[in-house]
Amino acid sequence: MARRVSGGVIAAIGVVGVLLFCCVGGGLMVAGGMALQSRVSALGSACDGQPVPTAAAYTPGAASRATVMQRGMGGGWSAQFGRLRSEWASDTTETTAIVVCLDDEVERLAERCDYEGGMVANRYTYDQHVRIVVAQTAMPLIDTVIAGGDAPLCPEVLTGEAGSSYRYDGPHVSEATATFEALLRPILGG
């Protein structure tokens, strides 16, 4: 004899299934990210001026692959996947010829605008120190600063409460993809 299953039991089974999927799937994604990091972790040495002999050879003018490394809070380096076009990106030390070393993005006050009533508007811009090095030799090819872009101008009239402060942010460096690609194109080809 078949029994009718209540909606509460089905909902509970569904919740358990979702939790198992999320926890196991999330763990697999974290493990996958850690595996990718470990495949390129040696490339951080090139950012510190140390050659990485197991990296791919770089031939100027030939198409090359690169890995982007970001300086972390403790001064170490971690790979930033997804910052490069797929035809330029590498996810192993052995296929990486070029390492793009990114320091932390820096926020700068571009302008302070004072208004009647003590209101203030601050315009901020962002920039980031970028070094591009040959992985095998740690030879620097480019050492520059990339700007994210200009912040919106302070408005002619600012309305609000007396003593209020307003913030106008320019684009972050990660949004300046055209500048980033123009910097890499002569080195990576394409």
Side-chain angles (χ1 to χ4, degrees), residues 20-31:
L20 282 173
F21 177 77
C22 290
C23 294
V24 172
L28 290 174
M29 286 179 19
V30 168

Side-chain angles (χ1 to χ4, degrees), residues 99 101 129-133 139-145 182-184 186-187:
V99 182
C101 308
H129 182 216
V130 178
R131 285 176 296 113
I132 299 174
V133 300
M139 179 181 78
L141 299 176
I142 293 178
D143 190 335
T144 191
V145 173
L183 189 65
L184 292 168
I187 295 169

Side-chain angles (χ1 to χ4, degrees), residues 4-80:
R4 185 169 169 229
V5 179
S6 74
V9 171
I10 293 173
I13 291 171
V15 168
V16 170
V18 168
L19 286 173
L20 282 173
F21 177 77
C22 290
C23 294
V24 172
L28 290 174
M29 286 179 19
V30 168
M34 289 171 46
L36 278 176
Q37 285 291 336
S38 69
R39 291 177 16 190
V40 295
S41 62
L43 296 170
S45 298
C47 292
D48 290 330
Q50 301 298 314
V52 182
T54 58
Y58 173 65
T59 305
S64 298
R65 292 199 174 258
T67 298
V68 176
M69 302 295 284
Q70 172 81 41
R71 185 183 304 275
M73 299 265 291
W77 298 92
S78 63
Q80 298 296 300

